[in-house]
Amino acid sequence: MTAAPKKLFIKTYGCQMNVYDSERMAETLGQQGYVTTDNQAEADMVLLNTCHIREKAAEKLYSDLGRLKPLKAEKPDLKIGVAGCVAQAEGEEIVRRMPLVDLVVGPQSYHRLPQMEAQVQTGKRALDTEFPEDDKFDVMAARPKAKRGPTAFLTVQEGCDKFCAFCVVPYTRGAEISRPADKIIAEARGLVEAGVREITLLGQNVNAYHGGAGGLAGLCAELAKIDGLDRIRYTTSHPNDMDDALIAAHGEEPKMMPYLHLPVQSGSDRILKAMNRKHTAEAYLRLIERIRAARPDILLTSDFIVGFPGETDDDFEQTLQLIEAVGYGAAYSFKYSARPGTPAAEKEDVPSDVADERLQRLQALLTQQQRAAQNAMVGKTTTVLFEKPGRLDRQWGGKSEHLHAVHVESEEDLRGQIREVLITASAPNSLAGQLT
Ligand code: 5AD
Ligand code: SF4
């Protein structure tokens, strides 16, 4: 008789790269006999894959660890691991402060999980937050061929050399590295064989990719040659790395989806300079013009930070003006959070209530723009990649080219199909349509 497989529960916080990392960690531990579970109570190992980008995100780890105490008391054999960017930034402190944690693994070390797991099983604790020389993607075994859903993330680049004054990423994820193009193409082929039709290429600075000829545009062109791969997206990009070839690709390669996340953070040149973003608001607006000239219907999204140290009412007004000038399809906005070790953390904060009020105004404007972009789709035909049944009977949900959530009614099983849909109505966060 074979032993029952051990159960792994992973909780993922933060960005899409963590989603990808969690998948790869689950696959790596799969070789140690683990299967994943959605039920934390039945887990033999709980792995928290954490985010350090803002204080609130990092604090969640400690509250979740607190909540795990009774489970560990009940099941002393339960192993608890912390992965991701908080592990990287605060690994030793976690080991010191949190006796219930057995394992701490940074984002560049998760290929070492099998050895760490073995160590933990002997009752010892394991900590690895190095930036090892060996490439984790090379060391990890090939991805399993099991059938999977129609969309997938694929990390092509990691780390960041930009050092924006507010950001922990260059410290937690390290220097920029690009995976070799042939490895990425092989991984993409494997995903397509497993049923994937849309791949989102991931990198903290994805458009700085330099792992093959022609940068990210060159990589997208190679990926576009894969039969069965129908849609290509990428995120997150820095404005200064949007080169001519990548802009042109949006106009020329039909598999490139008309969607671009291009964070600007602020519309004030004074604040952009203090943030070390290395471009002006005007340069960003000119860049948007060039992108729209290549692909007029592209949907643009951004990240914004309000209340960066030194931000005045006038600076904030300039951010609102930039938003008005661009017209975003969606955006993420955050109140500035001082992160230990970053240059901006030394500066005096904008009063919290002032930042709160600015955030509300900014979000109201962005919500209005998001609604306008959705409403503008009504009456148009678009293609939708269907992923899963909706909440209602005979309802199917998927994503449009512009990454709008779309649902239709259909008797047919639409999973994994790309179909033309006439958009008939717009709700706050989704569109309704009919198959044509
Ligand atoms: N405070 C608030 N928001 C931040 N971001 C990054 N660092 C901080 C910080 N210290 C935001 C930026 C970035 C997004 C991923 O998170 O807008 O683009
Ligand atoms: Fe952080 Fe992005 Fe700036 Fe890099 S470019 S430091 S990841 S905000």
Side-chain angles (χ1 to χ4, degrees), residues 15 52-55 164-169 236-237 261 263-265 275 277 302-306 308 332-339 342 344:
C15 67
H52 200 242
I53 198 92
R54 284 169 291 276
E55 195 179 357
C164 298
F166 49 81
C167 186
V168 289
V169 166
T236 287
S237 298
H261 184 57
V264 64
Q265 315 294 355
M275 286 177 164
R277 292 290 293 179
S302 177
D303 294 337
F304 293 94
I305 295 178
V306 300
F308 184 80
Y332 303 92
S333 46
F334 311 101
K335 185 172 158 182
Y336 169 72
S337 164
R339 306 307 291 126
T342 59

Side-chain angles (χ1 to χ4, degrees), residues 72-327:
K72 178 102 174 179
E74 213 178 283
K75 280 176 82 172
D77 287 342
L78 171 71
K79 303 300 176 198
I80 296 179
V82 179
C85 291
V86 185
Q88 187 63 46
E90 300 175 12
E92 279 166 24
E93 194 188 333
I94 294 168
V95 170
R96 206 173 44 244
R97 270 180 54 191
M98 295 285 168
L100 84 167
V101 172
D102 300 284
L103 180 157
V104 174
V105 60
Q108 299 312 327
S109 306
Y110 61 71
H111 54 300
R112 295 182 176 167
L113 271 172
Q115 297 90 301
M116 296 176 79
E117 197 270 345
Q119 181 172 335
V120 160
Q121 291 304 342
T122 68
K124 292 200 194 107
R125 302 170 86 193
L127 165 76
D128 193 337
T129 52
E130 280 173 44
F131 288 100
E133 283 294 305
D134 45 344
D135 176 355
K136 67 178 177 215
F137 296 104
D138 274 347
V139 178
M140 276 184 298
R143 306 197 66 178
K145 288 270 175 266
K147 177 95 183 125
R148 44 184 302 155
T151 63
F153 294 130
L154 202 177
T155 293
V156 303
Q157 180 279 334
E158 279 189 280
C160 182
D161 296 339
K162 296 279 191 296
F163 291 93
C164 298
F166 49 81
C167 186
V168 289
V169 166
Y171 313 97
T172 56
R173 291 274 175 171
E176 257 181 62
I177 60 123
S178 292
R179 294 179 66 193
D182 54 342
K183 298 272 170 59
I184 294 165
I185 290 159
E187 187 171 332
R189 282 188 201 286
L191 289 170
V192 170
E193 278 164 27
V196 170
R197 301 189 68 179
E198 171 179 309
I199 292 182
T200 302
L201 306 176
L202 299 181
Q204 269 93 26
N205 240 295
V206 72
N207 59 341
Y209 175 79
H210 57 265
L216 188 63
L219 179 66
C220 290
E222 287 305 310
L223 290 168
K225 291 180 190 158
I226 300 177
D227 279 342
L229 177 62
D230 299 291
R231 292 175 151 198
I232 300 170
R233 305 180 187 276
Y234 58 92
T235 196
T236 287
S237 298
H238 191 287
N240 289 355
D241 292 315
M242 278 314 289
D243 62 21
D244 291 347
L246 190 56
I247 295 173
H250 276 284
E252 290 161 6
E253 176 48 64
K255 292 187 180 182
M256 300 278 278
M257 289 295 100
Y259 178 98
L260 180 63
H261 184 57
L262 197 59
V264 64
Q265 315 294 355
S266 167
S268 151
D269 287 346
R270 221 174 55 78
I271 294 298
L272 286 169
K273 192 162 194 317
M275 286 177 164
N276 195 30
R277 292 290 293 179
K278 298 203 173 82
H279 64 77
T280 61
E282 185 60 24
Y284 180 83
L285 292 172
R286 295 289 81 80
L287 174 61
I288 298 292
E289 273 175 16
R290 287 168 53 219
I291 296 165
R292 283 194 167 136
R295 181 78 204 229
D297 71 332
I298 200 161
L299 186 143
L300 294 159
T301 68
S302 177
D303 294 337
F304 293 94
I305 295 178
V306 300
F308 184 80
E311 185 187 70
T312 62
D313 284 341
D314 184 51
D315 293 318
F316 177 64
E317 290 303 326
Q318 290 178 41
T319 300
L320 296 179
Q321 282 164 21
L322 178 137
I323 294 170
E324 295 277 11
V326 173

